[in-house]
Amino acid sequence: QARLVESGGGTVQTGGSLRLSCKASGFTFRHYCMGWFRQAPGEERRGVAAIGPDGSTFYIDSVQGRFSISRDDAKRTLYLQMNSLKLEDTAVYYCAAEENCVVHAMTDGGFIEEWGQGTQVTVSS
């Protein structure tokens, strides 16, 4: 059974950094596009970044240059390095998997096959 487990969330001050991890099991990780989504209180869940099996990446404009998505196929783990964090980055962050994706379209969220349970990121002033 496929499973995604996020970790690394927490509370950090504005301008700080956090690194999220997502450990995958139960499917052929290296064949899948992987992505990060987030949901702020009272808002819909939205895509943040995605990475293809070939390592190609996509970021939404608001995190471009601050966040970096990466993957380690040997460890079946997805990462999100978040730098220069802002108050508006506060959200529950979810890991997602999609096979046969178009990387820049994955953040639309229309074809996600697996979701993690989420990890809370809180940025304080």
Side-chain angles (χ1 to χ4, degrees), residues 23-90:
K23 180 71 172 180
S25 60
F27 63 99
T28 310
F29 179 80
R30 66 183 183 275
H31 290 171
Y32 275 66
C33 292
M34 299 297 298
W36 289 98
F37 290 69
R38 66 187 181 187
Q39 186 169 19
E43 297 185 10
E44 294 183 352
R45 186 159 49 186
R46 302 179 188 277
V48 174
I51 184 167
D54 63 354
S56 58
T57 59
F58 175 81
Y59 300 91
I60 60 172
D61 288 346
S62 61
V63 306
Q64 181 76 43
R66 299 189 298 121
F67 289 12
S68 178
I69 188 171
S70 61
R71 63 191 297 158
D72 185 330
D73 289 347
K75 295 182 178 179
R76 303 172 61 84
T77 302
L78 176 72
Y79 303 100
L80 185 68
Q81 178 67 44
M82 305 185 294
N83 299 327
S84 302
L85 282 162
K86 304 177 180 180
L87 294 174
E88 53 264 40
D89 294 320
T90 294

